[in-house]
Short mmCIF file of all heavy atoms in Angstrom, two decimals:
data_model
loop_
_atom_site.label_atom_id
_atom_site.label_comp_id
_atom_site.label_asym_id
_atom_site.label_seq_id
_atom_site.Cartn_x
_atom_site.Cartn_y
_atom_site.Cartn_z
N ASN A 1 3.33 0.34 11.23
CA ASN A 1 1.99 0.42 10.60
C ASN A 1 1.74 -0.71 9.61
O ASN A 1 0.60 -0.97 9.27
CB ASN A 1 1.86 1.77 9.86
CG ASN A 1 1.84 2.95 10.82
OD1 ASN A 1 1.32 2.84 11.92
ND2 ASN A 1 2.44 4.05 10.40
N TYR A 2 2.83 -1.36 9.18
CA TYR A 2 2.67 -2.38 8.13
C TYR A 2 2.86 -3.81 8.60
O TYR A 2 2.40 -4.73 7.96
CB TYR A 2 3.66 -2.09 6.99
CG TYR A 2 3.30 -0.86 6.20
CD1 TYR A 2 3.80 0.38 6.55
CD2 TYR A 2 2.40 -0.92 5.14
CE1 TYR A 2 3.44 1.53 5.86
CE2 TYR A 2 2.04 0.20 4.43
CZ TYR A 2 2.56 1.43 4.80
OH TYR A 2 2.20 2.55 4.11
N VAL A 3 3.57 -3.97 9.71
CA VAL A 3 3.90 -5.33 10.11
C VAL A 3 2.83 -6.00 10.95
O VAL A 3 2.74 -7.23 10.98
CB VAL A 3 5.25 -5.39 10.87
CG1 VAL A 3 6.37 -4.85 10.02
CG2 VAL A 3 5.16 -4.67 12.21
N VAL A 4 2.03 -5.23 11.66
CA VAL A 4 1.06 -5.82 12.59
C VAL A 4 0.09 -6.72 11.82
O VAL A 4 -0.57 -6.30 10.87
CB VAL A 4 0.28 -4.72 13.34
CG1 VAL A 4 -0.81 -5.37 14.21
CG2 VAL A 4 1.23 -3.91 14.20
N GLY A 5 0.05 -7.99 12.25
CA GLY A 5 -0.84 -8.94 11.62
C GLY A 5 -0.31 -9.52 10.32
O GLY A 5 -1.02 -10.27 9.63
N ARG A 6 0.94 -9.19 9.98
CA ARG A 6 1.54 -9.68 8.73
C ARG A 6 2.85 -10.41 9.02
O ARG A 6 3.49 -10.19 10.04
CB ARG A 6 1.83 -8.53 7.76
CG ARG A 6 0.61 -7.85 7.18
CD ARG A 6 1.06 -6.81 6.15
NE ARG A 6 -0.06 -6.27 5.38
CZ ARG A 6 -0.44 -5.00 5.40
NH1 ARG A 6 0.22 -4.14 6.16
NH2 ARG A 6 -1.45 -4.58 4.66
N THR A 7 3.26 -11.27 8.10
CA THR A 7 4.61 -11.83 8.13
C THR A 7 5.55 -10.79 7.51
O THR A 7 5.11 -9.79 6.91
CB THR A 7 4.70 -13.13 7.33
OG1 THR A 7 4.46 -12.84 5.95
CG2 THR A 7 3.68 -14.15 7.83
N LEU A 8 6.85 -11.03 7.63
CA LEU A 8 7.82 -10.12 7.02
C LEU A 8 7.62 -10.02 5.50
O LEU A 8 7.66 -8.94 4.92
CB LEU A 8 9.25 -10.58 7.33
CG LEU A 8 9.76 -10.28 8.74
CD1 LEU A 8 11.07 -11.01 8.98
CD2 LEU A 8 9.93 -8.76 8.95
N ALA A 9 7.39 -11.17 4.86
CA ALA A 9 7.20 -11.17 3.41
C ALA A 9 5.95 -10.40 3.03
O ALA A 9 5.95 -9.65 2.04
CB ALA A 9 7.12 -12.61 2.90
N GLU A 10 4.89 -10.55 3.79
CA GLU A 10 3.65 -9.81 3.50
C GLU A 10 3.85 -8.33 3.74
O GLU A 10 3.33 -7.47 3.00
CB GLU A 10 2.52 -10.35 4.38
CG GLU A 10 2.09 -11.76 4.00
CD GLU A 10 1.20 -12.40 5.03
OE1 GLU A 10 1.09 -11.86 6.16
OE2 GLU A 10 0.59 -13.47 4.72
N ALA A 11 4.59 -7.95 4.80
CA ALA A 11 4.88 -6.54 5.07
C ALA A 11 5.70 -5.93 3.94
O ALA A 11 5.44 -4.79 3.50
CB ALA A 11 5.59 -6.40 6.40
N ARG A 12 6.67 -6.69 3.44
CA ARG A 12 7.49 -6.19 2.33
C ARG A 12 6.63 -5.93 1.10
O ARG A 12 6.80 -4.92 0.41
CB ARG A 12 8.60 -7.19 2.02
CG ARG A 12 9.55 -6.71 0.93
CD ARG A 12 10.60 -7.76 0.65
NE ARG A 12 11.60 -7.26 -0.29
CZ ARG A 12 12.61 -7.98 -0.75
NH1 ARG A 12 12.75 -9.23 -0.36
NH2 ARG A 12 13.47 -7.46 -1.60
N LYS A 13 5.71 -6.84 0.82
CA LYS A 13 4.83 -6.67 -0.35
C LYS A 13 3.96 -5.44 -0.18
O LYS A 13 3.77 -4.66 -1.13
CB LYS A 13 3.97 -7.93 -0.50
CG LYS A 13 3.03 -7.87 -1.71
CD LYS A 13 2.21 -9.14 -1.82
CE LYS A 13 1.26 -9.07 -3.01
NZ LYS A 13 0.42 -10.31 -3.10
N ALA A 14 3.43 -5.25 1.04
CA ALA A 14 2.59 -4.06 1.28
C ALA A 14 3.38 -2.79 1.11
O ALA A 14 2.87 -1.80 0.58
CB ALA A 14 1.98 -4.15 2.68
N LEU A 15 4.62 -2.78 1.55
CA LEU A 15 5.47 -1.59 1.41
C LEU A 15 5.78 -1.33 -0.06
O LEU A 15 5.78 -0.17 -0.51
CB LEU A 15 6.76 -1.78 2.20
CG LEU A 15 6.64 -1.68 3.72
CD1 LEU A 15 7.89 -2.18 4.39
CD2 LEU A 15 6.38 -0.22 4.13
N ASP A 16 6.04 -2.37 -0.82
CA ASP A 16 6.31 -2.20 -2.25
C ASP A 16 5.11 -1.58 -2.97
O ASP A 16 5.27 -0.76 -3.88
CB ASP A 16 6.66 -3.55 -2.89
CG ASP A 16 8.04 -4.04 -2.50
OD1 ASP A 16 8.84 -3.21 -2.02
OD2 ASP A 16 8.30 -5.24 -2.66
N GLU A 17 3.93 -1.97 -2.53
CA GLU A 17 2.72 -1.43 -3.18
C GLU A 17 2.49 0.04 -2.85
O GLU A 17 1.76 0.74 -3.56
CB GLU A 17 1.49 -2.27 -2.76
CG GLU A 17 1.51 -3.69 -3.31
CD GLU A 17 0.43 -4.56 -2.72
OE1 GLU A 17 -0.24 -4.11 -1.75
OE2 GLU A 17 0.23 -5.69 -3.21
N ARG A 18 3.13 0.53 -1.79
CA ARG A 18 2.93 1.93 -1.40
C ARG A 18 4.23 2.75 -1.57
O ARG A 18 4.46 3.73 -0.87
CB ARG A 18 2.50 2.00 0.07
CG ARG A 18 1.08 1.49 0.30
CD ARG A 18 0.54 2.03 1.59
NE ARG A 18 0.53 3.49 1.61
CZ ARG A 18 0.26 4.22 2.69
NH1 ARG A 18 -0.03 3.64 3.82
NH2 ARG A 18 0.29 5.55 2.63
N ARG A 19 5.05 2.34 -2.53
CA ARG A 19 6.35 2.99 -2.68
C ARG A 19 6.23 4.49 -2.98
O ARG A 19 6.97 5.31 -2.47
CB ARG A 19 7.14 2.29 -3.78
CG ARG A 19 8.56 2.81 -3.94
CD ARG A 19 9.41 1.83 -4.74
NE ARG A 19 9.49 0.54 -4.09
CZ ARG A 19 10.32 0.28 -3.09
NH1 ARG A 19 11.12 1.22 -2.63
NH2 ARG A 19 10.36 -0.91 -2.54
N LEU A 20 5.28 4.88 -3.82
CA LEU A 20 5.11 6.30 -4.14
C LEU A 20 4.73 7.12 -2.92
O LEU A 20 5.21 8.23 -2.71
CB LEU A 20 4.06 6.47 -5.24
CG LEU A 20 4.46 5.94 -6.62
CD1 LEU A 20 3.30 6.09 -7.61
CD2 LEU A 20 5.69 6.70 -7.14
N GLU A 21 3.86 6.56 -2.08
CA GLU A 21 3.45 7.26 -0.87
C GLU A 21 4.61 7.36 0.11
O GLU A 21 4.73 8.33 0.86
CB GLU A 21 2.27 6.54 -0.23
CG GLU A 21 1.02 6.55 -1.14
CD GLU A 21 -0.01 5.57 -0.67
OE1 GLU A 21 0.14 5.02 0.44
OE2 GLU A 21 -0.97 5.33 -1.42
N GLN A 22 5.50 6.31 0.10
CA GLN A 22 6.66 6.34 0.98
C GLN A 22 7.51 7.57 0.71
O GLN A 22 8.00 8.23 1.63
CB GLN A 22 7.52 5.08 0.74
CG GLN A 22 7.21 3.91 1.67
CD GLN A 22 8.19 2.79 1.41
OE1 GLN A 22 7.82 1.81 0.80
NE2 GLN A 22 9.40 2.92 1.88
N ARG A 23 7.71 7.86 -0.56
CA ARG A 23 8.60 8.97 -0.92
C ARG A 23 8.09 10.30 -0.38
O ARG A 23 8.85 11.20 -0.08
CB ARG A 23 8.71 9.04 -2.45
CG ARG A 23 9.51 7.89 -3.02
CD ARG A 23 9.55 7.90 -4.53
NE ARG A 23 10.24 6.75 -5.07
CZ ARG A 23 10.10 6.30 -6.28
NH1 ARG A 23 9.26 6.89 -7.11
NH2 ARG A 23 10.76 5.24 -6.68
N ALA A 24 6.77 10.41 -0.25
CA ALA A 24 6.21 11.63 0.26
C ALA A 24 6.30 11.71 1.79
O ALA A 24 6.31 12.79 2.36
CB ALA A 24 4.74 11.77 -0.17
N GLU A 25 6.37 10.55 2.46
CA GLU A 25 6.34 10.53 3.92
C GLU A 25 7.71 10.41 4.55
O GLU A 25 7.90 10.80 5.71
CB GLU A 25 5.47 9.34 4.38
CG GLU A 25 4.02 9.43 3.95
CD GLU A 25 3.22 8.21 4.40
OE1 GLU A 25 3.49 7.74 5.51
OE2 GLU A 25 2.36 7.74 3.64
#
């Protein structure tokens, strides 16, 4: 859900920004 259309570095940044939501999912 996060990598499509992004580089690895951009995907990592997007994941970091959603860390709280990650814990719930």
Side-chain angles (χ1 to χ4, degrees):
N1 293 325
Y2 290 91
V3 301
V4 175
R6 292 184 170 117
T7 65
L8 283 170
E10 291 168 347
R12 183 181 186 182
K13 181 179 179 182
L15 286 166
D16 287 342
E17 291 171 351
R18 289 201 58 189
R19 186 163 299 279
L20 291 176
E21 296 166 10
Q22 267 184 256
R23 290 176 183 159
E25 297 178 39

